[in-house]
Amino acid sequence: MVDGKSVTPTIKTTAMVIPNLQLRPHSNHRVTMNFELSIPNVEDRLGWSKTTVSLGNWFPILAVYDQEGWNLDPYVSMGESFYSLTGRFLVTFTTSPKQVIATTGTEVGQPIIRQGKAIHTYQANQVRDFAMELDSTYRKISQKVGSINVQTFYQPAYSKFATDMQRAAIQSLQLFQQKIGPYPWPELDVVTMKGSFGGMEYPQLVMISMRKKSTVARIRTVVAHEVAHQWFYGQIGNNQYDDPWLDESFASYYESMFDQKLNELNAKPVADSRFHLSSPMSVFTQNGKQLDRIYVQMIYKYGPRTLHDLEKKIGSETFEKGIKTYFQQKQFDITTTSDFIQIMEQISHQNLDTFFRQHRVFIES
Ligand SMILES: [Zn+2]
């Protein structure tokens, strides 16, 4: 329904087109829809397994219209390909009273119990998405850090990791607030689950994938990486399909800072010079196949090394000032490679053209 009138949407791959709806700046429309989702029985960011239900990217979200027009890029399973603006969410969720739930946002009041079901209400402001994680066996640790409630939700099997995860969340939150800018939301949740990835970031909620080989050191690193995404993507948004380095390379750089391993960043770019640090996902995908190894080498390894090289070139103090300015100018907004370069040039009073070109960072004309 659009403004109370019934319409029939059309669906093409990952895009749903709603007819009779034109969104002009500062105009308001009310779109309502009923939809059913079968949650797949998989260990993933959207899936369920045993007692755990992961609800990432579970509802239709407004596509972004920018200088390229509508962004309807496909889904990729390596890293992320999401792109959304910030919004306000008010979510009512009905489930079994036994479920322990972590979400984006904050629960409003106590759940209402009706006919054996619990009705929860959650509110979130200035977030790009709304994710949830449910498990009736979850235990929880909470601690206030300033005005922020930091919580770790874990299944009993992961008890031995819980305090380290909570500590890593608090320490990384404090470090990144000091080095980048404030964390603006009242709550941050870290949850254990299972997936084929290390971790997955959603606003105010990070999923940490637990594996047989998980060590405390590795889990701490993953927590710090996902917490860094609260700044790079959560606050400073980007088109993750067009510019995957703008969130992943930055989160990886701050992960290394948390681990005090910046000096170990010395990865080389892949030999094939067609792959840039600033390449879009389409370049890291060929003939429908994801080039995981190349993508990881460039975005997660060469990317943070490039940022560290920049830090060495312009000096740590100037680099930090540049990042803080970048944060202030782009908070809750969308950034581009060109925005980042411009701000770093302004703050450092240097022409960084050659530096970025040599590091295979190019601005699309
Ligand atoms: Zn990441």
Side-chain angles (χ1 to χ4, degrees), residues 137-179:
T137 72
Y138 266 152
R139 294 176 186 169
K140 185 170 85 171
I141 321 175
S142 307
Q143 192 185 324
K144 280 262 186 185
V145 178
S147 58
I148 306 157
N149 190 24
V150 180
Q151 311 193 97
T152 295
F153 293 74
Y154 60 98
Q155 291 90 357
Y158 305 121
S159 297
K160 67 172 182 174
F161 293 102
T163 49
D164 286 296
M165 290 176 73
Q166 174 79 351
R167 203 173 296 145
I170 291 170
Q171 288 167 346
S172 56
L173 183 72
Q174 286 169 330
L175 177 68
F176 303 153
Q177 291 206 91
Q178 188 197 329
K179 295 289 180 184

Side-chain angles (χ1 to χ4, degrees), residues 79-80 199-201 225-226 229 232 240 247-249 251-252 255 295 300:
E80 296 81 31
M200 179 62 204
E201 69 280 11
H225 178 97
E226 306 311 334
H229 277 303
F232 300 100
Q240 294 180 313
D247 52 297
E248 288 306 342
S249 299
S252 300
E255 161 202 320
Y295 164 75
Y300 292 80

Side-chain angles (χ1 to χ4, degrees), residues 48-53 99 134-137 155:
W48 69 272
S49 169
K50 296 190 179 140
T51 54
T52 314
V53 184
Q99 290 292 357
L134 290 73
D135 195 316
S136 58
T137 72
Q155 291 90 357

